[in-house]
Amino acid sequence: MNKEIIIGSSTSQNHVAITEDGNLVDFFVDHPEKRRMVGDVYLGRVARVLPGIRAAFIDIGQKHDAFLHFSDIGDRTEALQDLLVEDDDSDANEDEIKDDKNIPPVQQPIAEDAAAIDLKPQLKERVEPRERQIPKLHKGEEILIQIIKEPVKDKGVRCTSSISLPGRFCVLLPLDNKIGVSKKIYDFRERKRLRRIARGILPQNCGLIIRTAAKDQSEEAMSGDLRYLVKIWEDMHEEAKKEEPPALLYKDLSTTISVIRDLFTPDVSKVFVDSKKLYKEIRNYVQFIQPALLDRIELYKGNEPIFAAFKINEQIKELMGRKVSLHSGGHIVIEHTEAMVVIDVNSGRYAAKKEQELNSLKTDLEAAREIVRQLRLRDIGGLIVVDFIDLEDEKNRKKIYDELKKEFKKDRAKIAMLPMTEFGLMQITRERIRENIMQSMNDACPYCGGTGLLTKKSNLMHEIEHWLKRYRTEGNGSALVLKVHPSLGDKLKEGIISPLFKYKLKYFIRIKLVEDEKISPQIFHFISVKTGNEITHDFA
């Protein structure tokens, strides 16, 4: 398999595509004007403690306070926090740390990855006692927190007090004593060697997660990576003593560089970059973390745009559509709602009744593979409900479940799903840390508010007449200015005896029509000629 990382840069954005044999498998957008916050460490101040929802809100100097759930409260420095101290769980089973999915999202921009993967390496044994206890948080108290989830719409960031600092080969867990090794490192001897190295180089009162990239690395390379992380922590700790909250203590890498840190592994054959500045930045970073991979970084010099040359543009355009075609002739439709994402699977063509079950199974299996790919590409998180084509045989429904389970193993985000119901519905939850690709690359339409629907002109005219009727009864004045969008204006002037003329005769009001393209087609404005003030809402 030929795996490549392709980076297209412009003055406003960086786009990072990861392909396998030319097929897009991951896609990230890096907005310089909207830097990601996941992984940033703040010195904050407790603004509110709400035991009723088992959470606190932390002032970090942003528009909305950060949300800190009690389950996300972990170890802390005595100088800054006075939280409930739990029993030491340093001998938790090291093997519970399964793989890089348990590493904080800071080193996983890809899935969000970066939002819903807990920043603390969360062990099952550790969650239950923490859930049962209420931390001793007080309003006005200083606290060190790390962002684990980007703000989405009107919600602020989510944070944790369990700080973790990701490097190339390991993740430093300050004030935590456990050592974990990624379960993607299967060799027992290698796991034992890495644990031995970790115990030898680990500072006091710190824990460590050995990442998959550390496989076959020397003690010197791991030690250098750890020294860099320890220095970051020490500098951060010293800075916290000097600063007054709210203050930013540590800024994580940009999306582009973090993708290089986390995903530029030996199985990647090439990294293509079309910007000299970014090319030098990536080379300098790789020179520091893993010089052996330097020769795989290449500056793209072609005349054709880099994404067009690698045939990425067509695949990205597909991400923006609600309908995705399948090779079998069927298609899936992806709809975003406030509460969940709904995916509908359609066969797209009729099959003979005797072949219907087989045809439905074939389409559902293909759709299952494409759905997993689309969830990764679009970075869709939260609750997802899939309406598959109905299958009568329970064994066939089990095949769909097993196919999804197999495909989700490729996803770095944490997944939970339930078996298919008799109605052909399957419920899935996928970790969400930041806005999905659709949200990050698009703004809601200012006219329809993102619904895709506009009020019919006939309904607007009915509202205008209703307004005039009420104004005639309760208002004072006989001359008005009506400001509307030209499309509505045309409708009001339509016909030999226009609706506007009828309003004037019926309600005995002089109405001057003013058309303005800047006004939304969804609304109208009435202005009193007598006072010059807008009075639309007074008689709505």
Side-chain angles (χ1 to χ4, degrees):
M1 181 175 64
N2 183 32
K3 189 174 182 179
E4 296 175 333
I5 299 177
I6 300 154
I7 304 173
S9 177
S10 68
T11 54
S12 59
Q13 292 180 352
N14 293 331
H15 287 187
V16 184
I18 299 175
T19 65
E20 293 177 358
D21 294 329
N23 296 316
L24 188 65
V25 294
D26 269 315
F27 180 64
F28 314 102
V29 180
D30 191 359
H31 301 265
E33 79 284 355
K34 187 182 176 184
R35 307 300 286 186
R36 73 186 190 120
M37 297 179 67
V38 169
D40 296 350
V41 178
Y42 283 84
L43 176 62
R45 191 183 298 279
V46 178
R48 288 170 292 161
V49 180
L50 304 175
I53 62 171
R54 302 187 59 78
F57 288 89
I58 313 299
D59 177 16
I60 58 172
Q62 299 292 321
K63 181 180 178 182
H64 300 288
D65 291 338
F67 178 82
L68 176 64
H69 194 268
F70 289 170
S71 64
D72 290 321
I73 295 177
D75 299 325
R76 81 291 182 263
T77 60
E78 292 183 2
L80 296 173
Q81 295 134 277
D82 184 23
L83 307 181
L84 180 65
V85 180
E86 299 182 28
D87 294 335
D88 180 33
D89 55 359
S90 58
D91 7 266
N93 184 0
E94 295 169 351
D95 284 340
E96 285 293 317
I97 301 174
K98 294 185 177 180
D99 50 41
D100 284 1
K101 290 183 181 180
N102 285 316
I103 295 172
V106 192
Q107 47 286 12
Q108 300 192 93
I110 56 242
E112 136 176 82
D113 274 355
I117 303 176
D118 291 341
L119 259 151
K120 59 184 184 309
Q122 188 172 333
L123 301 179
K124 292 180 181 177
E125 295 85 355
R126 193 170 174 177
V127 174
E128 291 182 1
R130 180 166 294 155
E131 286 286 341
R132 289 196 297 267
Q133 301 183 52
I134 299 178
K136 297 176 182 176
L137 280 176
H138 306 286
K139 183 177 179 180
E141 182 180 5
E142 295 182 1
I143 183 170
L144 201 65
I145 58 97
Q146 188 168 35
I147 308 300
I148 60 174
K149 187 174 181 180
E150 298 278 359
V152 178
K153 295 185 179 179
D154 295 328
K155 297 180 181 178
V157 299
R158 181 165 178 168
C159 63
T160 178
S161 65
S162 297
I163 308 300
S164 60
L165 301 172
R168 171 66 170 173
F169 304 121
C170 54
V171 181
L172 179 67
L173 309 174
L175 306 173
D176 202 334
N177 296 321
K178 66 178 167 290
I179 296 174
V181 180
S182 167
K183 275 199 171 177
K184 288 185 179 179
I185 301 176
Y186 303 105
D187 186 80
F188 173 76
R189 291 196 182 104
E190 179 64 11
R191 293 172 63 82
K192 191 174 181 180
R193 181 185 77 89
L194 291 171
R195 262 201 207 96
R196 187 177 65 251
I197 291 174
R199 290 193 184 99
I201 63 177
L202 196 58
Q204 194 174 2
N205 294 327
C206 285
L208 203 67
I209 297 177
I210 307 297
R211 304 188 68 186
T212 309
K215 183 181 178 183
D216 299 327
Q217 295 297 320
S218 66
E219 181 175 345
E220 183 182 355
M222 290 182 58
S223 181
D225 193 35
L226 182 59
R227 281 197 302 270
Y228 170 71
L229 298 177
V230 170
K231 185 177 186 307
I232 291 176
W233 168 245
E234 290 174 347
D235 292 346
M236 190 192 309
H237 196 187
E238 289 301 315
E239 191 73 16
K241 293 178 182 178
K242 303 173 189 175
E243 294 284 350
E244 283 293 321
L248 175 65
L249 302 180
Y250 169 73
K251 183 74 179 169
D252 194 32
L253 300 174
S254 68
T255 299
T256 305
I257 299 300
S258 61
V259 167
I260 295 297
R261 176 189 65 196
D262 298 327
L263 297 182
F264 186 22
T265 51
D267 65 330
V268 175
S269 56
K270 280 287 183 181
V271 175
F272 295 97
V273 192
D274 67 352
S275 163
K276 286 184 180 179
K277 181 181 177 182
L278 193 56
Y279 170 73
K280 290 178 182 177
E281 187 181 342
I282 291 172
R283 279 189 64 89
N284 291 338
Y285 181 73
V286 174
Q287 174 75 52
F288 174 75
I289 62 165
Q290 202 164 4
L293 299 179
L294 265 178
D295 60 344
R296 302 189 189 186
I297 305 170
E298 186 175 314
L299 178 63
Y300 175 76
K301 298 178 181 179
N303 296 325
E304 194 178 10
I306 187 168
F307 274 19
F310 286 91
K311 295 180 173 54
I312 304 296
N313 282 337
E314 295 83 354
Q315 299 181 63
I316 292 175
K317 284 178 183 176
E318 191 181 73
L319 293 182
M320 301 299 108
R322 60 189 287 271
K323 182 177 176 180
V324 180
S325 299
L326 303 175
H327 292 298
S328 63
H331 62 270
I332 62 174
V333 178
I334 303 173
E335 294 282 3
H336 294 259
T337 72
E338 188 69 23
M340 66 184 75
V341 172
V342 181
I343 302 176
D344 186 31
V345 180
N346 296 294
S347 61
R349 62 186 181 189
Y350 175 78
K353 189 170 183 180
K354 62 180 180 181
E355 299 175 356
Q356 185 173 348
E357 181 80 359
L358 184 61
N359 184 70
S360 297
L361 176 61
K362 179 184 174 183
T363 304
D364 280 349
L365 286 172
E366 186 182 357
R369 292 187 286 270
E370 185 61 29
I371 286 168
V372 174
R373 177 173 173 266
Q374 291 295 325
L375 293 181
R376 288 176 60 193
L377 281 175
R378 299 176 188 231
D379 205 4
I380 294 174
L383 180 60
I384 301 146
V385 175
V386 184
D387 181 11
F388 284 100
I389 301 170
D390 290 344
L391 296 169
E392 296 179 4
D393 194 333
E394 177 62 33
K395 291 181 181 178
N396 289 337
R397 290 200 287 265
K398 180 71 165 51
K399 285 180 182 178
I400 304 301
Y401 178 82
D402 292 340
E403 185 69 19
L404 278 170
K405 197 172 181 181
K406 183 189 78 174
E407 291 296 316
F408 272 130
K409 288 181 180 179
K410 304 173 185 176
D411 196 339
R412 290 168 61 97
K414 290 180 181 177
I415 304 290
M417 60 180 182
L418 297 176
M420 186 185 293
T421 68
E422 292 182 3
F423 300 113
L425 300 178
M426 187 168 287
Q427 300 166 73
I428 303 167
T429 60
R430 185 177 184 270
E431 286 183 312
R432 174 173 56 200
I433 297 178
R434 61 182 179 186
E435 293 180 324
N436 60 52
I437 290 295
M438 288 289 289
Q439 292 169 331
S440 66
M441 295 185 70
N442 297 283
D443 285 326
C445 171
Y447 294 146
C448 70
T451 64
L453 300 171
L454 293 177
T455 305
K456 287 186 175 181
K457 300 293 186 297
S458 58
N459 283 358
L460 288 170
M461 290 166 65
H462 175 78
E463 289 180 25
I464 289 172
E465 186 170 359
H466 182 78
W467 189 96
L468 288 168
K469 186 176 182 179
R470 184 170 180 182
Y471 176 76
R472 186 63 183 146
T473 306
E474 303 174 11
N476 180 20
S478 59
L480 297 170
V481 174
L482 173 58
K483 296 181 72 174
V484 297
H485 188 271
S487 62
L488 181 56
D490 292 341
K491 198 73 177 174
L492 288 167
K493 296 182 295 185
E494 193 176 69
I496 298 174
I497 303 177
S498 68
L500 185 63
F501 183 72
K502 291 178 182 177
Y503 298 157
K504 293 177 183 179
L505 291 178
K506 185 175 182 179
Y507 299 106
F508 300 102
I509 299 174
R510 293 194 303 274
I511 303 173
K512 180 183 178 182
L513 183 66
V514 176
E515 298 178 22
D516 188 349
E517 290 188 353
K518 295 179 181 178
I519 295 177
S520 168
Q522 296 278 84
I523 60 176
F524 56 86
H525 300 282
F526 275 107
I527 299 168
S528 171
V529 173
K530 185 178 181 180
T531 63
N533 297 328
E534 182 174 344
I535 56 174
T536 313
H537 296 294
D538 297 342
F539 302 95

